[in-house]
Amino acid sequence: MSEELRYTLFGESHGEAIGVVLEHLPAGLVLDWDFIRQEMDRRRARAGGLTTSRIEADQVRVLSGVFEGRTTGTPLAAVIENGNTRSGDYAAARYLARPSHGDYTGFVKYHGFADYRGGGHFSGRLTAPLVFAGALAKLVLREKGILVGGHILQVGPVRDEPFDPVEIPPALLEALRLKDFCTISDEAGQRMQQVIREAGQQLDSVGGMVECAVTGLPAGIGREDADSMEGQIARQLFAVPAVKGVEFGLGFGFAGALGHEANDEFYAENGRIKTRTNHSGGINGGITNGMPVVFRAAMRPTPSIARPQHTVDLRTMENAVLEIRGRHDPCILPRAVPVIESAAALAVLAAMGKLEREETNP
Amino acid sequence: MSEELRYTLFGESHGEAIGVVLEHLPAGLVLDWDFIRQEMDRRRARAGGLTTSRIEADQVRVLSGVFEGRTTGTPLAAVIENGNTRSGDYAAARYLARPSHGDYTGFVKYHGFADYRGGGHFSGRLTAPLVFAGALAKLVLREKGILVGGHILQVGPVRDEPFDPVEIPPALLEALRLKDFCTISDEAGQRMQQVIREAGQQLDSVGGMVECAVTGLPAGIGREDADSMEGQIARQLFAVPAVKGVEFGLGFGFAGALGHEANDEFYAENGRIKTRTNHSGGINGGITNGMPVVFRAAMRPTPSIARPQHTVDLRTMENAVLEIRGRHDPCILPRAVPVIESAAALAVLAAMGKLEREETNP
Amino acid sequence: MSEELRYTLFGESHGEAIGVVLEHLPAGLVLDWDFIRQEMDRRRARAGGLTTSRIEADQVRVLSGVFEGRTTGTPLAAVIENGNTRSGDYAAARYLARPSHGDYTGFVKYHGFADYRGGGHFSGRLTAPLVFAGALAKLVLREKGILVGGHILQVGPVRDEPFDPVEIPPALLEALRLKDFCTISDEAGQRMQQVIREAGQQLDSVGGMVECAVTGLPAGIGREDADSMEGQIARQLFAVPAVKGVEFGLGFGFAGALGHEANDEFYAENGRIKTRTNHSGGINGGITNGMPVVFRAAMRPTPSIARPQHTVDLRTMENAVLEIRGRHDPCILPRAVPVIESAAALAVLAAMGKLEREETNP
Amino acid sequence: MSEELRYTLFGESHGEAIGVVLEHLPAGLVLDWDFIRQEMDRRRARAGGLTTSRIEADQVRVLSGVFEGRTTGTPLAAVIENGNTRSGDYAAARYLARPSHGDYTGFVKYHGFADYRGGGHFSGRLTAPLVFAGALAKLVLREKGILVGGHILQVGPVRDEPFDPVEIPPALLEALRLKDFCTISDEAGQRMQQVIREAGQQLDSVGGMVECAVTGLPAGIGREDADSMEGQIARQLFAVPAVKGVEFGLGFGFAGALGHEANDEFYAENGRIKTRTNHSGGINGGITNGMPVVFRAAMRPTPSIARPQHTVDLRTMENAVLEIRGRHDPCILPRAVPVIESAAALAVLAAMGKLEREETNP
């Protein structure tokens, strides 16, 4: 019944098209297509061995909800046609569940009727419309002075410098957004790329972590219950394939900490309340406190690896060996940052409730 | 519109009463009061320096939704009267926001009208009706052969033995449930208690981590989208005060892992599909795969510590120093395990959708 | 996830207590207990043969969500203990489904575990906490200049004067609110009371209709989809026992009308847009247009009548004859007006979304 | 969080395309395209003066959620490209709100950014994807033996024979479904068509009523609260443009009835419980009782009439006179029956909760 932002992704990796419907966007938002295309590009596969070789144009066609270049406030549907599909790669292994993929669980849940090709609806390809949706959410937030930005904090054994959670300047977030390989330390980025290429050469894959921040959020967003700011962000992040852990502020570091180390003391400055440290990641009691919201998402190594793996034939229930064909990312981190940011932007925008533009047309 | 399980906690720490309303419980469930009381007792404060000295009777009065000892299927309301309150402890510091508590954020969100005494609705005391609700959820799950159980995995620098995620026997979960200090290794438990007592003596507090498992779950529960099994559990866990991180399976350990180490290969045995390892924590593509669901929740040190701390007077907006009075847990881990289990049980039961008893009365 | 108003009724007619939990009320609302008690009294049974002889004190105890006389913004739970129960009246007929009651359908849905006494959770007694919830909603709306008020438009063959939908003055609504038998025309009210007493004397019951208006609503509330203003009000009205029809504006009268008769032409006056007629009942395209929202709810005759009726024994599945004992209203219309108003007030407040008070405390 | 059926319509009358996304359809449903096309045809405009002269091909393109001819269980998106648009008809009157349309209310709600052409998202054209969605819902229900069918009960002063609510044979519903002008009595249908043609010739329009039934529903569907079967159906019906009243069983006829006339006595036959009459329209206490669910929807005359009407210029706030151009139905009843049926089918399917096919593939 609510009018908070809601989105629905649709489509399958090798189906006709993928897309998204966004409900309850504020009316009057100008679609900044330069920004949207940049965001889509940040997620795209590239040449160079860091990503899959399935490169898609990912042209977004908006079917509804936009008039004279602005959102109408009614549902916005956007579609991306599927182009570069090689479904034949998958036919032979139709009933061989890929380990740690959603093949088996999707088979059970959907009684064997799911589209198996390339993971079908479970494919990471669905993150393309997610990034489009996230770009729109970011545009709405940007008008309110709220930025969402992240970087690759870890790939395998290599770590980037973390954010300073007390002060995350807009210029840093924008610089990261425009980087081809999105780390704060270029040197760490170089080493990460090496780790990824090596994993690919070994027919293996490698995991990692994204750190993300939301800055400019006012205090008072979220709730003290199951709709906590942490819970709403985590729920959206866990919808991103490969995310298996989410932490805010010190996160798992709190487990080893003492209270006097972990507390964020308050001070007043120019009539605003701030904290000297930001171990809490900008959230207390499930509600934002005006400091940057900072969180990290752990992402598993791509489960599609070309090495032979043991599995089961879902039709015969016999043990089998699978050699995965198809084209896959040896590491999803290079493409994951805008995806994580998008999930967070959508969660934050939904948590803010109905946002009305002050402007009216005419 | 849905008929999945839903619960609403109500009450304030120093108000008339706290309680819960549960909607869409299956009809016909026998309320096993021995079990329910055990669960409530697991969460209660005790003597001995490990917990707060505010000890409450926590007698649950069921007002509705139970007839002739069984659930009716219509809303079940339960109330716990507040007894041992010392509200005077809080009056002097009414406008001094306790660092890292929800005082300030609640003040902003609720425009200064929230009940400030003892944290009001944000108090950990609300976990008493949560454990009651969780006990009912566990009873429903138990009838389906599904168990939810956990242990204290970490307190400060001390770690317990972890679960073997491939095989978590019911007897282990039941033994843990009945332990006064809930660790697998008694020796680790002893050291944890020492860490907690020391923190208390230093007017400090200490954080920790709970590891929890759900066993006996069939494959096919959850979704591939924002209602993923991970997302639904995480959302409920982040509603528990102090939880700041949630991970499934290897969780943040995935960030440093290679694909061939992290994948869980399938095998068939007696017509059932299993995995040899369970790095995924029982969930692929957001949907259960039939292996134990294993997750960990990181919990911050209790922010209420007796040392002087800097803060701000919310009425005058002036900097101030706060010395917290009131009675507080130096570490919430000793009482947190049934709370985390309850949040998970409620999430899992909701994810299973409408469960009907096969039995009819008469 | 939303923060719009939500309420949950709980309790059974002959159980321990009945009550309601309200979530997402705005913080800072002063509980005007004089108003609340008046509203509760409007719904109460009275002596004089017009209503049931089960007269309850209906003392409301607020357990949570109110501090220093104002709402806190966190869940407000309120309880009414059940007093005047004569459950023995129902034991003999436990398995004999009362025609046109929810006994049989509740038996099927809840597998025979529902509390059968006095209709259990299906009882009209649950409208007591509904009226309490509605009174709070009205208080919130009143601060915005929005009034909700109604009258008995029909009982059996007798009709009251209808509202003039273009102009419904606050004084008329307040006068109706304070009337013991709530009609515009006292003469019609007298005749209705006669019809009701006659039905009671004949061991029969009689149906009727309530007309209700919401005045002062700004234009722009509602949606063009399944959350239309009509749909949201209707959904709440059909939750009231006995409501079997809902219409807005001309309603079923539109079926026989021509377009040029049925359209409401616009005009501008002092910078505001109004319509000369209000056949639309204040709603176009599912969204309020600033004119009074006017609707009618048809209510069936109380199905509990003392005459012998054919039914089935749900245990033996044999045909049987039922003579209903217990105490029943020969017509619910005398008590129904505040119930209908409450359902509408809750629907309207929910549709308005999160309402924040501008005031802050301190 | 629920897995009950949900649909979202998108698109504008003169935009790129209109469509629908359906979530939580059961997996494995065969798309019976003959049936789907028949349903779409029932809603289409035709030659002959009874409907608008804007005739659209309404080719549905399914983008996702169908694989090998069956639903996958993941979101099904379907798109209909807009073809026969004459947007120029609307430009001159962009700011002149059409009386009793959603133009003004949509302008307020969406701050003037809505697509005004042909009513934009508020257009009756959105009922095309609604009928597609409804056809899928009907296919799911048909497999369970549940039929949804209706007829035009009234146009202006002319009434069709009503259903016998106790017994509505499948053959009657199927015959009505295949009729070009959907009445039980052909003679009444002839007279209705005459009334419609006359209204069109007078540059006027005329209202009417649809009667609809759902047969084969088991007892026990719905709830006793705001998610009553009546409430869920009404909420969907009021989402259909022009619906202004909804009643179940005797509906508004209950207002004049006595209890002994209005009650439906039970009897048992072959181990099933039935009622001799069905004044309740198949629903007691908000829950189905196994008898046909019977309801009526009142529909206003098309507000677009070619006669000059008074209105206001939304930009200048000055009074103005509007002569509506564009192509419009003099009466929507000839096309409304499948729309009403679709809304009801979607409501009923959602109320039934998650439906799993017993079949698995392979």
Side-chain angles (χ1 to χ4, degrees), chain D residues 92-165:
Chain D
R94 172 166 187 171
Y95 297 104
L96 299 183
R98 294 170 297 170
S100 294
H101 260 288
D103 297 351
Y104 167 57
T105 58
F107 187 90
V108 173
K109 181 172 183 78
Y110 297 116
H111 297 256
F113 295 106
D115 182 352
Y116 68 91
R117 300 167 302 168
H121 183 65
F122 290 67
S123 167
R125 181 145 173 68
L126 272 284
T127 57
L130 177 62
V131 167
F132 171 76
L136 295 188
K138 284 179 180 178
L139 287 173
V140 179
L141 293 171
R142 200 172 65 173
E143 290 197 341
K144 310 273 175 189
I146 300 165
L147 298 179
V148 182
H151 65 114
I152 307 172
L153 181 63
Q154 185 177 341
V155 167
V158 185
R159 281 183 78 101
D160 192 17
E161 297 167 23
F163 282 135
D164 170 2

Side-chain angles (χ1 to χ4, degrees), chain B residues 154-227:
Chain B
Q154 185 177 341
V155 168
V158 185
R159 279 185 80 100
D160 191 18
E161 295 167 24
F163 282 136
D164 171 2
V166 172
E167 186 68 48
I168 301 174
L172 173 60
L173 295 181
E174 184 64 9
L176 286 168
R177 198 173 76 80
L178 298 174
K179 269 196 174 177
D180 192 53
F181 193 90
C182 187
T183 51
I184 295 176
S185 154
D186 288 335
E187 187 271 332
Q190 292 298 334
R191 286 194 291 138
M192 288 177 186
Q193 294 179 52
Q194 199 175 331
V195 166
I196 295 169
R197 286 201 183 87
E198 275 168 20
Q201 285 153 9
Q202 305 289 324
L203 307 184
D204 210 342
S205 61
V206 61
M209 201 191 304
V210 170
E211 183 178 53
C212 187
V214 187
T215 66
L217 261 180
I221 310 297
R223 289 191 59 77
E224 69 285 357
D225 58 18
D227 292 329

